[in-house]
Amino acid sequence: MLKTTVKVSNLNNLSDARYCAGMGVELLGFSMDELDFEKYKEMRGWLAGIQVVGETDSSDVSKIIELTENFQPDYLQVSAWENLAEIQRIGLPIILKVDFATANLPALFQTTKGVVEYFLLENSEVSEEIDEATQSQIDAWSFQYPILLGFGVKEANVNDLLEQTQLKGFALKGNDEIRPGFGNFDELMNILETIETDD
């Protein structure tokens, strides 16, 4: 069990996916834009008791509908907030990926909050550390909106972020396999083990 909701995105191999599921990660994300569908089907067949997130950066609603019909995810992650009304008709809970660096977030949060299950906050101008001002801003937003933090999360600060903000959870990323069965996901593993509970 983990202390909070965790989404791991961009999973492309069974080793990472099964490890995350075993650790209690609730939301496993797969890129519908990039992942081979047959490989996805094979991975999904091994996974039980988790929520699959279909991820796409497409802004073409017909393309998003087609991907969703093929991949049959439990959640849909998009970055095309302009088309949310149409995307909402697909009928899945929506995770909206937003950019801390470039988006007008107060307006975006306000206009889309009723439509979105979670906001996944990323940062295209990411630095390795979250400074005090950024953390304070994230805390203020997370008090009002359901935010998964997707940048600046480290083994060293993950518990502090959990205790000092109202975040709904974290969005972490999977890595490519070095060879079948062997991935380099030390950082991901360390973060998950840091927020593991004994319950």
Side-chain angles (χ1 to χ4, degrees), residues 123-137:
N123 189 349
S124 58
E125 296 174 5
V126 68
S127 65
E128 289 303 304
E129 305 299 327
I130 291 181
D131 60 27
E132 206 170 303
T134 301
Q135 183 171 318
S136 177
Q137 181 64 81

Side-chain angles (χ1 to χ4, degrees), residues 36 45 47 55 65 72 87 94 97-98 100 102-103 118 124 127-128 140 147 159 182 190:
D36 176 74
L47 300 170
E55 303 166 344
I65 290 169
Q72 296 284 309
I87 292 168
I94 295 170
K97 187 169 71 170
V98 296
F100 182 82
T102 61
Y118 295 109
S124 58
S127 65
E128 289 303 304
I147 292 175
N159 276 316
F182 292 89
N190 291 343

Side-chain angles (χ1 to χ4, degrees), residues 120-197:
L120 196 169
L121 192 57
E122 293 199 341
N123 189 349
S124 58
E125 296 174 5
V126 68
S127 65
E128 289 303 304
E129 305 299 327
I130 291 181
D131 60 27
E132 206 170 303
T134 301
Q135 183 171 318
S136 177
Q137 181 64 81
I138 289 168
D139 183 36
W141 286 333
S142 65
F143 189 74
Q144 295 179 273
Y145 307 108
I147 292 175
L148 301 175
L149 182 60
F151 71 93
V153 181
K154 308 283 177 198
E155 180 187 0
N157 70 355
V158 65
N159 276 316
D160 288 342
L161 286 166
L162 208 48
E163 289 160 13
Q164 295 167 17
T165 70
Q166 305 292 313
L167 288 165
K168 291 292 184 198
F170 300 107
L172 309 173
K173 285 186 171 70
N175 290 301
D176 291 333
E177 283 183 304
I178 299 163
R179 60 184 190 277
F182 292 89
N184 179 18
F185 54 99
D186 290 353
E187 187 177 6
L188 174 64
M189 198 167 12
N190 291 343
I191 292 172
L192 293 178
E193 286 174 1
T194 302
I195 56 172
E196 193 175 13
T197 70

